[in-house]
Amino acid sequence: ELRYPDRVNCAVELLDGTIMRVGGHRPCVRTDDGEVWSYNEVADLVNRVAAVLVEDLHVVPGNRVLLRGPNTRWLLVCWLAALRAGAVVVTTMPLLRARELRECLDKAAVDVALCDDRYLDELRDAGLAANRIVSWGAAADADLTRRAESKAAGFVPVDTAADDIALIAFTSGTSGTPKATAHFHRDVLAIADTFSAHLLQPRADDVFAGSPPLAFTFGLGGLLVFPMRVGACTVMSERPAPKDLFASVARHGVTILFTAPTAYRAILEHLGHLELGSLRTCVSAGEALPAVVWHAFHDATGLRIVDGIGSTEMLHVFVSAAGDDIRPGSTGRAVPGFRARVVDDSGRPVPTGVVGMLAVQGPTGCRYLDDERQQRYVRDGWNLTGDRYLQDSDGYLWHQGRADDLIVSSGYNIAGPEVEHTLVRHPDVVESGVVGVPDEARGTVVKAFVVLAAGVVADDAKARELQEFVKSEIAPYKYPRLVEFVGSLPRTDNGKLRRALLRERS
Ligand code: 3SK
């Protein structure tokens, strides 16, 4: 069991604690333009920004500080500074519009904001007063740079309780209204001391990189908390496309990579031209990783992708497998420190091999802010993730889709993701999204939206070929009766397929 002191500030642990263990001269952050910042340099700037928050913006412990911007050194510094000042960090996706930001401001009761100067307009339009916002930017005279330079370096961090809220992160799932989830200082440390420590086993000489924004807790863990817990270095890149992300591996000597299944799939055809020799661990999450993608990536690189499932509610990954424990197509087993089981609608464990809902327990857990959905997510101390799984006799968990992805057609239960994973095994298919659409005769029928590989002709003959392919691979009643060819699939900022939008389009 993980134990932390009653008084702990996670930003102090990630900076001072790490500097004490590995030394402050080690590289902490690399940027796309080739700059490298040591732990001492980052700590110095963090302290000055914390002083700006307290002295200029009059932040007191418990105040909520909204952060807005893509992954840059400044965003990482502001995240640590707000926590050092005893405030609660409210992370927001850089692409949010004023209307969505307004909801974040209200739900999280935001007091002040630190914002990348390229992203100010929407925040101002959301209604936060100009004197409550300080912005950073590339220019030497950017507001935050000027203010930080005028401060003394020796900021004394605020002493917080392990159970004080450190972070408010938003999840909108793939369809609905955003929910604010609260996480304690000890939760932030716990994700590093469970998934990262046991499955990734990072060292101080590792270099982390990846595509998820720090506002998505997958990115926060993988690109800030995990490297800084061990004194490793992290690459801050603004929303890199798969090709840029993989190309940057050689430039920065990246050893641990975090991205989504779509990026691993998208990069497959370019792998031959890329120098990936420094990589030792690739992590995939956000969506289930199809076995076919795992094998293709492994065949091309020799690397065994670490798949995992996590959630914003649980802060990070709670089921995964690494190294020889990996069974391609399975998400893995409960991460050490967590417990996982598959339950029926009344919360009772189901037998091995039977599909039910994944329930988890561990050092982190769901705490929605003022949301009646809390009662549905946490029952009898178990977090009900909304993911359908079956567990085999070795304890491995196999993803069967989200509860709301289940298609009931002519009385058959069909998991949309199973049909998607089957379609991508066809050589002409790049990706697909499968949903149920209303049908007079069958109630609902299976419809596949398919992105074809470049140069493949999208016509009725191809649709029939794909239908026959699905029938030959899985139970024929699961085949998509409707096939629509599309140029791309709608995804959330986190890279998850927006099936609700596909349903609306049908
Ligand atoms: O799988 C996910 O969607 C996720 C969400 C939050 C944090 C980590 C992960 C993997």
Side-chain angles (χ1 to χ4, degrees):
E1 201 192 322
L2 295 172
R3 290 211 166 274
Y4 299 107
D6 290 344
R7 312 288 310 175
V8 72
N9 181 318
C10 63
V12 173
E13 292 303 311
L14 295 176
L15 269 176
D16 310 42
T18 297
I19 289 174
M20 250 166 33
R21 278 192 306 275
V22 303
H25 297 289
R26 294 204 62 81
C28 177
V29 183
R30 298 174 68 96
T31 58
D32 275 339
D33 50 20
E35 284 188 55
V36 183
W37 296 74
S38 70
Y39 272 85
N40 282 339
E41 287 168 321
V42 169
D44 178 73
L45 191 54
V46 166
N47 280 335
R48 290 169 190 273
V49 173
V52 171
L53 285 169
V54 172
E55 293 167 22
D56 295 7
L57 291 166
H58 311 296
V59 163
V60 294
N63 275 173
R64 276 107 193 251
V65 178
L66 182 138
L67 301 184
R68 172 167 168 81
N71 291 0
T72 59
R73 174 181 61 107
W74 275 109
L75 182 63
L76 175 143
V77 163
C78 290
W79 190 91
L80 293 160
L83 289 164
R84 255 174 122 72
V88 176
V89 171
V90 181
T91 49
T92 57
M93 287 292 190
L95 295 179
L96 292 191
R97 296 290 184 198
R99 194 181 48 79
E100 298 154 309
L101 282 168
R102 201 167 304 132
E103 228 171 321
C104 297
L105 293 173
D106 288 347
K107 282 207 161 133
V110 167
D111 296 287
V112 301
L114 299 176
C115 180
D116 187 306
D117 57 13
R118 297 164 296 174
Y119 290 73
L120 272 172
D121 290 350
E122 298 277 344
L123 188 55
R124 290 195 182 122
D125 290 351
L128 195 63
N131 65 356
R132 303 272 75 207
I133 308 173
V134 171
S135 66
W136 69 77
D141 63 348
D143 193 8
L144 187 55
T145 312
R146 261 190 311 102
R147 289 173 188 257
E149 272 168 5
S150 73
K151 302 295 176 200
F155 182 83
V156 179
V158 172
D159 175 40
T160 50
D163 280 3
D164 280 346
I165 298 177
L167 169 72
I168 294 174
F170 286 90
T171 171
S172 55
T174 47
S175 53
T177 45
K179 291 166 271 185
T181 64
H183 301 284
F184 295 157
H185 282 265
R186 64 173 162 82
D187 297 330
V188 174
L189 301 175
I191 60 171
D193 299 341
T194 52
F195 172 65
S196 180
H198 290 280
L199 282 96
L200 310 181
Q201 304 182 350
R203 304 182 301 248
D205 58 358
D206 273 314
V207 180
F208 287 64
S211 56
L214 297 185
F216 178 20
T217 60
F218 179 42
L220 179 69
L223 301 176
L224 189 157
V225 179
F226 301 169
M228 293 195 67
R229 187 66 166 150
V230 296
C233 185
T234 185
V235 180
M236 285 289 107
S237 295
E238 299 187 14
R239 212 75 193 137
K243 228 169 148 187
D244 302 323
L245 176 65
F246 281 84
S248 76
V249 167
R251 182 148 42 97
H252 296 291
V254 174
T255 57
I256 303 185
L257 189 71
F258 281 76
T259 191
T262 39
Y264 290 109
R265 185 165 37 212
I267 203 65
L268 282 176
E269 58 199 274
H270 306 285
L271 283 176
H273 313 288
L274 294 166
E275 177 47 66
L276 301 181
S278 58
L279 273 182
R280 69 176 175 84
T281 301
C282 291
V283 182
S284 173
E287 283 196 309
L289 179 71
V292 66
V293 177
W294 190 96
H295 282 295
F297 193 80
H298 180 250
D299 291 348
T301 63
L303 290 161
R304 304 166 66 78
I305 300 176
V306 175
D307 190 12
I309 178 170
S311 64
T312 304
E313 285 84 350
M314 297 298 291
L315 193 54
H316 217 273
V317 170
F318 43 80
V319 169
S320 183
D324 292 340
D325 266 347
I326 294 172
R327 298 205 180 160
S330 159
T331 318
R333 296 189 277 195
V335 164
F338 288 87
R339 294 168 67 206
R341 64 189 199 185
V342 180
V343 299
D344 64 17
D345 288 345
S346 46
R348 276 189 296 267
V350 298
T352 300
V354 173
V355 177
M357 199 72 76
L358 181 64
V360 290
Q361 255 182 3
T364 63
C366 172
R367 286 176 222 106
Y368 289 133
L369 283 188
D370 191 19
D371 199 306
E372 90 279 345
R373 287 170 285 194
Q374 176 75 20
Q375 279 75 34
R376 264 181 277 152
Y377 202 97
V378 185
R379 256 195 271 156
D380 300 328
W382 287 89
N383 295 267
L384 298 174
T385 64
D387 292 278
R388 297 168 59 253
Y389 266 87
L390 66 80
Q391 191 161 32
D392 67 19
S393 51
D394 295 332
Y396 281 80
L397 288 152
W398 299 80
H399 191 242
Q400 310 291 311
R402 296 275 309 165
D404 39 18
D405 294 340
L406 194 70
I407 303 163
V408 183
S409 180
S410 297
Y412 288 112
N413 284 348
I414 301 164
E418 186 188 8
V419 184
E420 289 162 10
H421 291 188
T422 306
L423 280 163
V424 293
R425 292 207 290 271
H426 190 285
D428 292 343
V429 175
V430 175
E431 55 180 345
S432 80
V434 170
V435 295
V437 300
D439 178 82
E440 274 193 13
R442 295 185 167 78
T444 305
V445 290
V446 177
K447 174 167 182 178
F449 292 83
V450 175
V451 180
L452 290 172
V456 177
V457 179
D459 58 11
D460 287 351
K462 184 55 68 185
R464 277 196 300 278
E465 181 186 327
L466 295 181
Q467 289 170 325
E468 291 310 313
F469 177 75
V470 173
K471 284 186 197 169
S472 69
E473 294 272 315
I474 54 178
Y477 65 81
K478 298 179 181 174
Y479 88 97
R481 285 175 186 271
L482 303 172
V483 175
E484 184 174 329
F485 296 111
V486 289
S488 63
L489 293 172
R491 294 194 173 273
T492 66
D493 287 349
N494 299 351
K496 291 180 202 289
L497 185 61
R498 299 184 67 188
R499 291 195 181 79
L501 216 61
L502 291 179
R503 269 180 226 116
E504 278 168 29
R505 278 193 199 165
S506 296

